[in-house]
Amino acid sequence: MTEKHMKLLVFGANGPTGRLVTQQALAEGHRVTAVTRRPDAFPVDHARLRVAGADALDPAAVDEVMAGHDRVISTLGVPYTREPVTLYSQSARHIAAAMGRHGLRRLVCVTSIGVHPELPPEEKFFFRKVVGPILMAMGRPLYEDARRMEEVVRATDLDWTIVRPSGLFDAAALSDYRVAVAPRRLPGMFTSRTDLADALLREAVDDRHPRACIEVITTQGTPSYTSVFLKEALHIGK
Ligand SMILES: NC(=O)c1ccc[n+]([C@@H]2O[C@H](COP(=O)([O-])OP(=O)(O)OC[C@H]3O[C@@H](n4cnc5c(N)ncnc54)[C@H](OP(=O)(O)O)[C@@H]3O)[C@@H](O)[C@H]2O)c1
């Protein structure tokens, strides 16, 4: 357990990764404000947890929850869609502006390895030629806005870290996950949400890679492409 106990503000806290970030942060002794549009549906209860209702697309609501925190983490996300996506870039603008007004410096946010136009190295023929291109095409509106989010965040003078996971899956335990600082790429197509939550916390609390983009890749216990495709991309079994 870390010795530094902080006040963390988590956007997207009610998503599967956000819940893990919240639970892992509380287990490490931090105070957490979990931001969600549906505070009544937030499933975690803890003496050091505050649940705040705010829409990340509403700049006044974002400003209202900002005061009194040390670090900000964003795991905000939308499912695959054909419609234009603005959540990533808009929320980044509102969060960065509110952080500036409240004197906060450290922002850790999630985008995706899909921001790269190329697939990861070392993947097999079937992935390179079939699965990868389908996923990239399905995720295009989302990845385009994640790229815009990265531009917004990079243009700030905050101590930001952008964390790019690969295909997310749920795992019971933390693994010995790999981290690479961009532009270095890692082979591998999966990131467990438990590993991603830990990587986000290590960045927020331990300041590992300020003003850098990092990839987080899980190599142990990874699922099959088919199961991830069905669950995450088509929302079957969620
Ligand atoms: N799925 C994948 O394979 C994959 C791959 C790479 C990267 N990622 C990224 O990884 C991150 C975490 O993904 P995840 O699957 O754990 O979470 P997620 O399902 O994308 O959900 C994140 C949360 O964002 C919140 N949210 C959405 N719009 C909001 C708004 N306008 N205001 C406030 N909150 C809003 C929602 O919570 P409420 O409805 O409670 O507000 C939602 O639960 C996301 O950024 C995702 O894009 C995912």
Side-chain angles (χ1 to χ4, degrees), residues 14-75:
N14 203 20
T17 305
R19 290 180 188 181
L20 289 167
V21 168
T22 302
Q23 287 163 329
Q24 291 177 15
L26 291 168
E28 288 184 11
H30 305 293
R31 290 190 175 278
V32 178
T33 302
V35 184
T36 164
R37 290 168 299 178
R38 299 169 297 137
D40 295 344
F42 197 69
V44 184
D45 188 21
H46 194 284
R48 278 182 273 103
L49 172 69
R50 185 166 78 86
V51 183
D55 187 327
L57 295 173
D58 176 351
V62 171
D63 192 83
E64 205 165 299
V65 295
M66 194 60 70
H69 296 94
D70 301 312
R71 306 287 155 102
V72 180
I73 298 174
S74 171
T75 64

Side-chain angles (χ1 to χ4, degrees), residues 48-108:
R48 278 182 273 103
L49 172 69
R50 185 166 78 86
V51 183
D55 187 327
L57 295 173
D58 176 351
V62 171
D63 192 83
E64 205 165 299
V65 295
M66 194 60 70
H69 296 94
D70 301 312
R71 306 287 155 102
V72 180
I73 298 174
S74 171
T75 64
L76 287 163
V78 291
Y80 280 118
T81 170
R82 289 190 191 154
E83 304 299 318
V85 174
T86 60
L87 174 71
Y88 298 90
S89 54
Q90 292 252 48
S91 64
R93 277 188 203 98
H94 301 332
I95 290 169
M99 287 180 70
R101 282 192 293 273
H102 290 271
L104 274 71
R105 298 235 20 104
R106 185 83 177 113
L107 171 63
V108 180

Side-chain angles (χ1 to χ4, degrees), residues 50-204:
R50 185 166 78 86
V51 183
D55 187 327
L57 295 173
D58 176 351
V62 171
D63 192 83
E64 205 165 299
V65 295
M66 194 60 70
H69 296 94
D70 301 312
R71 306 287 155 102
V72 180
I73 298 174
S74 171
T75 64
L76 287 163
V78 291
Y80 280 118
T81 170
R82 289 190 191 154
E83 304 299 318
V85 174
T86 60
L87 174 71
Y88 298 90
S89 54
Q90 292 252 48
S91 64
R93 277 188 203 98
H94 301 332
I95 290 169
M99 287 180 70
R101 282 192 293 273
H102 290 271
L104 274 71
R105 298 235 20 104
R106 185 83 177 113
L107 171 63
V108 180
C109 61
V110 181
T111 61
S112 168
I113 62 153
V115 297
H116 291 288
E118 333 80 41
L119 294 167
E122 296 176 29
E123 284 304 317
K124 296 200 175 66
F125 182 82
F126 181 63
F127 184 86
R128 276 191 288 112
K129 295 293 175 194
V130 182
V131 180
I134 292 174
L135 289 175
M136 293 297 272
M138 287 178 64
R140 185 162 295 124
L142 196 154
Y143 300 142
E144 283 172 353
D145 196 46
R147 247 177 249 128
R148 288 191 287 270
M149 178 191 208
E150 293 199 353
E151 285 164 19
V152 169
V153 171
R154 283 163 176 273
T156 68
D157 63 356
L158 299 171
D159 298 327
W160 50 267
T161 301
I162 292 166
V163 179
R164 297 171 177 160
S166 192
L168 295 182
F169 70 100
D170 297 320
L174 194 62
S175 81
D176 192 11
Y177 61 87
R178 299 185 65 192
V179 172
V181 178
R184 197 176 142 226
R185 301 289 310 268
L186 289 171
M189 272 312 294
F190 297 107
T191 307
S192 94
R193 289 188 171 92
T194 307
D195 291 348
L196 174 59
D198 185 70
L200 291 166
L201 271 181
R202 299 287 57 82
E203 293 301 327

